[in-house]
Amino acid sequence: MDWDDYRRWAKDIADWGAQYHKTIRDLPVRAQTKPGDIAAQLADHAPEQGQDMRDIWNDFQSIVLPGMTHWQHPRFFAYFPANATPPSMLAEQVASIMAAQCMLWQTSPAATEMETKTLDWLRQAVGLDAGFAGVIQDSASGATLAAVLTMRERALNWSGNSAGLSAQPRLRIYCSGEVHSSIDRAVWISGIGGDNIVRIPVTGPLRSMDPAALRRAISDDIAAGFTPAGIIACVGATGMGACDDINAVMDVADEFALFTHIDAAWAGSAMICPQYRHLWQGVDRADSVVFNPHKWLGVQFDCCAHFLKSPADLAKTLAIQPEYLKTHGAGGFINYSEWSVPLGRRFRALKLWFMLRNYGLAELRRRIGNHVAWAEHMANRLSQTPNFEIVTNPILSLFTFRFAPQGARDLNDLNQRLVDAINDDGRTYVTQTLIDGAKVIRFSIGQFDTTLADLDMAYDVICDIAQTLDRT
């Protein structure tokens, strides 16, 4: 392909992209294929000779598209949203065209300096204290890993990277059972080990970590010869939106001088709306905070905002400076590759800059406010529908419910069959979770183009399919 061919194809694909989004409601939300269907249509070996782009594009439409779950579908109510607004997509195209590797200030000064500025815009927008500095990570998982590694190094007086963990004290990490599985993975990768995650009981409607139980667990570990390394709190946890009492957690953290990381991967974006900030009151006392603009703020995946009280500690944990990565003859800059696990960095700040400028904070607040109000509306409708019950009330735009008709023998099985039938139907998409051992259905609103009409259809689909299920 030469550049003239590229120009023609880029225009054709842009036309297809606009039409795809305009007609996406006509597609099933979740892929309706069976395991192996797509692989069976793909060649077993790469071609020796180049193939015509028209043939490739035709195969994309006939083979790939039927196997895609459409995350931008307005009736995608599963997991959390992964919105991609038009300005964000355009910025991603521009970044891909330039194809810069932005690992150092000198490898693209604009990328580094824009990252500093746009993260500060975001810090101000969510009301974080000016003492935080931000960096764009690939995902909340990457940010949490960076935070856990920093906890580890601080607890070991910065000797873990150099001496290893074999002769070190046994470290402990504290969190509730509501946190995301990425916390487990970060603790595994850090070498601390999953057996050293201490799960603190939860309490109240927000299923918050019990601060008294947290204090006892830390004290007991110290008495047993363990070394507490840090606490991970959540705001808007994945299962049902659990939110820890950050001030109460920080009181304990301060008492024991522990590094504290707050995972607000989904809910943090809602803090651009001041009326929701009570959910993370005390956040300015934490050492590390993460949330994903690529979820609720419309920034093309991936773009994770990680804010740090002491970025110097993070750099001390992760920075390596061989001669070939040094910038000579200049100063007063940041190399963000020293703030993250990967060395390579894409120009992610560009899409954040495009999106924030094109939409503006007022429009983003309006959309998030709608989603929160619509979650209350949907939960109220289901609560008034015979045989349905709300299990956890809406936390922002997420709630859980279950189908619980009189006489049903196995509600867990019944609700899993309901989830499967809804998703096989294709008109909407939901997921399940467990609340104290009970199988429940998660309903999360957040897709940018969702309307009340989409919610009404989802309600009808849920109710109609529920009536078809065998309850015995």
Side-chain angles (χ1 to χ4, degrees):
M1 177 181 287
D2 61 25
W3 291 111
D4 290 331
D5 291 333
Y6 167 82
R7 180 187 295 113
R8 287 191 294 271
W9 275 102
K11 290 177 180 177
D12 287 350
I13 290 174
D15 289 341
W16 170 83
Q19 188 65 14
Y20 168 77
H21 282 270
K22 285 181 178 180
T23 60
I24 198 169
R25 277 185 175 85
D26 300 332
L27 299 172
V29 186
R30 193 183 73 168
Q32 301 295 293
T33 57
K34 295 181 175 61
D37 284 355
I38 306 304
Q41 300 175 73
L42 301 175
D44 291 332
H45 306 285
E48 289 291 336
Q49 305 300 322
Q51 298 177 347
D52 188 87
M53 188 63 193
R54 177 57 60 189
D55 293 335
I56 299 168
W57 183 247
N58 288 340
D59 284 348
F60 165 78
Q61 296 194 76
S62 65
I63 299 173
V64 178
L65 269 181
M68 294 301 296
T69 291
H70 301 288
W71 282 72
Q72 305 310 310
H73 200 295
R75 292 190 296 278
F76 187 106
F77 301 116
Y79 306 106
F80 290 120
N83 286 303
T85 56
S88 174
M89 285 187 272
L90 290 174
E92 190 81 316
Q93 291 176 36
V94 172
S96 295
I97 289 167
M98 291 188 293
Q101 215 281 44
C102 305
M103 58 185 179
L104 307 172
W105 174 84
Q106 68 170 328
T107 61
S108 281
T112 295
E113 295 181 23
M114 182 175 286
E115 185 162 342
T116 302
K117 188 65 73 170
T118 55
L119 265 292
D120 197 60
W121 286 6
L122 209 53
R123 177 197 62 76
Q124 296 174 57
V126 299
L128 279 178
D129 187 81
F132 284 97
V135 57
I136 297 178
Q137 308 279 20
D138 54 358
S139 65
S141 298
T144 296
L145 174 58
V148 169
L149 291 170
T150 305
M151 289 179 188
R152 184 194 75 186
E153 289 305 292
R154 283 187 22 161
L156 296 177
N157 195 28
W158 311 101
S159 66
N161 282 339
S162 55
L165 304 185
S166 60
Q168 303 280 13
R170 190 165 172 180
L171 302 180
R172 304 287 259 186
I173 302 289
Y174 304 88
C175 61
S176 81
E178 295 292 331
V179 297
H180 192 267
S181 58
S182 61
I183 278 73
D184 297 65
R185 186 171 292 175
V187 173
W188 297 350
I189 295 170
S190 71
I192 293 172
D195 288 348
N196 292 306
I197 300 174
V198 182
R199 309 284 183 182
I200 306 302
V202 296
T203 183
L206 294 181
R207 297 180 72 84
S208 305
M209 200 173 354
D210 182 341
L214 174 63
R215 182 177 286 105
R216 282 195 304 273
I218 296 170
S219 297
D220 289 348
D221 277 349
I222 292 171
F226 297 118
T227 298
I231 302 169
I232 299 176
C234 59
V235 176
T238 299
M240 47 65 68
C243 294
D244 288 320
D245 182 337
I246 302 302
N247 267 324
V249 169
M250 288 309 307
D251 286 344
V252 179
D254 289 348
E255 182 179 334
F256 294 96
L258 293 182
F259 186 103
T260 302
H261 172 67
I262 297 176
D263 179 5
W266 155 69
S269 294
M271 303 310 160
I272 65 170
C273 306
Q275 66 268 33
Y276 305 134
R277 291 180 190 164
H278 64 279
L279 290 173
W280 74 357
Q281 189 171 0
V283 67
D284 288 336
R285 300 171 63 188
D287 297 287
S288 172
V289 182
V290 63
F291 67 90
N292 291 329
H294 67 231
K295 281 191 166 72
W296 215 352
L297 285 183
V299 181
Q300 176 90 10
F301 183 84
D302 53 6
C303 181
C304 171
H306 186 192
F307 292 96
L308 300 137
K309 190 70 66 64
S310 175
D313 284 352
L314 180 64
K316 190 173 181 179
T317 300
L318 298 177
I320 300 176
Q321 294 184 324
E323 182 61 31
Y324 54 78
L325 292 181
K326 293 179 181 177
T327 299
H328 294 283
F333 57 83
I334 297 170
N335 286 330
Y336 280 117
S337 59
E338 298 177 356
W339 292 27
S340 56
V341 174
L343 172 62
R345 297 180 62 79
R346 297 189 297 110
F347 191 0
R348 296 185 181 95
L350 188 67
K351 55 193 172 187
L352 183 59
W353 188 63
F354 269 43
M355 188 279 303
L356 287 173
R357 292 189 62 189
N358 189 251
Y359 276 81
L361 292 173
E363 173 62 14
L364 296 172
R365 292 188 191 104
R366 184 189 71 82
R367 288 174 184 259
I368 288 174
N370 280 344
H371 295 163
V372 173
W374 293 345
E376 294 278 356
H377 165 79
M378 186 71 172
N380 285 339
R381 286 196 73 184
L382 285 167
S383 71
Q384 295 167 22
T385 302
N387 298 325
F388 285 93
E389 61 185 27
I390 302 302
V391 179
T392 59
N393 288 316
I395 297 174
L396 297 173
S397 64
L398 169 65
F399 67 94
T400 67
F401 67 97
R402 69 174 179 167
F403 184 46
Q406 283 265 340
R409 296 180 62 185
D410 186 341
L411 288 180
N412 281 2
D413 175 70
L414 179 63
N415 278 273
Q416 186 60 62
R417 286 191 287 117
L418 177 55
V419 168
D420 295 340
I422 289 168
N423 294 340
D424 288 344
D425 173 82
R427 286 174 290 173
T428 191
Y429 188 23
V430 295
T431 45
Q432 72 286 335
T433 192
L434 291 173
I435 304 291
D436 294 331
K439 183 72 65 76
V440 301
I441 301 172
R442 295 175 70 259
F443 198 91
S444 173
I445 304 170
Q447 207 286 324
F448 255 47
D449 294 326
T450 295
T451 65
L452 271 174
D454 292 308
L455 291 167
D456 290 340
M457 177 180 278
Y459 172 83
D460 290 341
V461 169
I462 291 166
C463 294
D464 290 348
I465 291 177
Q467 300 313 309
T468 71
L469 297 180
D470 181 0
R471 306 175 190 185
T472 59

